[in-house]
């Protein structure tokens, strides 16, 4: 592939990660909070600062909570207001997805949310991987007019979901199939060659230790849920660069 033949989207969790993704050569970023939950809507302040860094290519996830993709009316109201915020701040695209109880794309709710998005590009996220029938979901999403589908091929990683990803790329007519989840330098060329995809989604994260000198091991901010207060994960420019190098041949 030539560099102009593919696009790299980096899933970022902070301004620090966005800077690294851009330094590594990313074409686009998806800004998220709550990465361990699969991504939730980032804060107003985070969106503002990232918008100042990027002239184009800024997408924001609109997801009010972790868990499933069946939303109550109050949660949908939160999503409408977050979409309004994103539009006012000049975000280029939003990433969202809603399902029915039966595991189908909620076409009615999606149409309302997409109407609220105006001119912003819409990516249907990995709620797609929880759909009962991926090919029916593909048809519905194409009818809705989403720009792309982020999917691992209904598997725990894009690499193990290769058979479905290949079939989705072959069947897609009006939407881009973008493999994501576990995409890295070691497998991105295999995913590209096996599926025919030309957009790829990755986090390229590394773990950094805290600069804190004093630490209190007796207290956890997660309460009964044990979390590491003295480390954080950020995107790595080197990892992004390596993925790009593996794809150029």
């Amino acid at each position: 592939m030539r560099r102009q033949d593919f696009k790299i989207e980096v899933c970022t969790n902070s301004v620090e990660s966005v800077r690294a993704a851009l330094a590594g050569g990313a074409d686009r970023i998806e800004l998220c909070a709550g990465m361990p939950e699969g991504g939730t809507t980032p804060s107003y302040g985070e969106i503002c600062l990232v918008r100042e860094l990027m002239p184009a290519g800024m997408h924001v996830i609109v997801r009010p909570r972790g868990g499933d993709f069946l939303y109550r009316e109050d949660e949908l109201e939160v999503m409408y207001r977050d979409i309004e915020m994103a539009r006012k701040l000049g975000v280029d695209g939003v990433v969202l997805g809603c399902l029915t109880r039966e595991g189908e794309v909620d076409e009615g709710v999606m149409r309302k949310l997409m109407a609220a998005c105006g001119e912003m590009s819409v990516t249907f996220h990995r709620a797609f991987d929880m759909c009962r029938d991926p090919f029916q979901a593909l048809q519905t999403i194409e009818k809705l007019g989403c720009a792309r589908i982020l999917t691992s091929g209904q598997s725990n990683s894009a690499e193990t979901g290769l058979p479905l990803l290949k079939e989705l790329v072959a069947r897609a007519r009006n939407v881009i199939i973008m493999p994501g989840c576990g995409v890295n330098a070691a497998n991105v060329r295999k995913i590209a060659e096996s599926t025919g995809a030309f957009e790829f989604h990755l986090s390229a994260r590394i773990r950094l230790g805290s600069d804190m000198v004093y630490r209190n091991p007796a207290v956890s901010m997660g309460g009964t849920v044990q979390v590491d207060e003295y480390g954080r994960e950020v995107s790595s420019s080197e990892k992004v660069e390596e993925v790009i190098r593996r794809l150029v041949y």
Side-chain angles (χ1 to χ4, degrees):
M1 283 188 180
R2 298 171 300 172
R3 181 61 184 93
Q4 62 265 34
D5 293 332
F6 63 88
K7 291 187 181 297
I8 297 296
E9 177 180 281
V10 178
C11 182
T12 58
N13 58 355
S14 64
V15 174
E16 182 179 14
S17 287
V18 171
R19 291 186 190 277
L22 295 177
D27 299 288
R28 185 172 62 239
I29 65 98
E30 178 194 8
L31 185 63
C32 303
M35 296 287 260
E37 298 178 286
T40 54
T41 307
S43 74
Y44 173 88
E46 199 94 58
I47 297 172
C48 286
L49 284 176
V50 172
R51 178 74 288 177
E52 292 174 10
L53 285 176
M54 300 187 65
M58 177 186 179
H59 289 196
V60 170
I61 193 170
V62 175
R63 187 178 177 217
R65 57 165 172 78
D68 63 37
F69 303 99
L70 177 66
Y71 297 114
R72 304 186 307 272
E73 286 301 319
D74 56 344
E75 292 172 327
L76 290 172
E77 183 60 34
V78 170
M79 294 175 76
Y80 288 123
R81 297 192 185 200
D82 284 338
I83 289 169
E84 180 182 12
M85 171 184 66
R87 286 183 66 182
K88 287 180 177 178
L89 292 176
V91 169
D92 301 298
V94 295
V95 183
L96 51 83
C98 301
L99 304 182
T100 67
R101 293 176 184 273
E102 292 75 28
E104 298 172 350
V105 175
D106 194 326
E107 187 173 353
V109 168
M110 285 295 300
R111 285 197 183 281
K112 292 177 184 178
L113 290 170
M114 291 180 70
C117 289
E119 297 301 312
M120 292 188 294
S121 173
V122 176
T123 297
F124 196 97
H125 59 40
R126 290 189 63 223
F128 179 88
D129 292 323
M130 299 301 188
C131 289
R132 175 164 40 187
D133 183 337
F135 302 119
Q136 180 183 354
L138 171 63
Q139 290 181 346
T140 302
I141 292 167
E142 286 194 311
K143 185 165 60 173
L144 286 167
C146 293
R148 61 186 52 79
I149 298 172
L150 169 61
T151 171
S152 61
Q154 296 201 334
S155 186
N156 284 328
S157 72
E159 188 169 11
T160 56
L162 286 177
L164 179 56
L165 286 169
K166 179 179 180 180
E167 186 67 20
L168 290 168
V169 171
R171 293 195 186 202
R173 296 292 178 267
N174 302 306
V175 68
I176 294 166
I177 303 299
M178 180 170 62
C181 189
V183 176
N184 55 50
N187 62 23
V188 68
R189 185 164 172 175
K190 175 183 177 182
I191 293 170
E193 292 177 342
S194 298
T195 66
F198 58 89
E199 292 198 6
F200 306 92
H201 175 94
L202 55 138
S203 61
R205 289 197 299 270
I206 56 173
R207 189 158 188 82
L208 300 178
S210 170
D211 292 331
M212 289 291 297
V213 175
Y214 172 74
R215 303 185 180 192
N216 184 352
V219 178
S220 170
M221 293 296 102
T224 58
V225 178
Q226 293 300 307
V227 296
D228 180 9
E229 272 87 26
Y230 299 105
R232 69 186 192 282
E233 292 191 341
V234 297
S235 296
S236 160
S237 60
E238 291 81 6
K239 285 195 170 189
V240 177
E241 289 172 353
E242 182 60 21
V243 165
I244 292 171
R245 279 197 296 270
R246 295 293 180 92
L247 280 172
V248 176
Y249 55 90

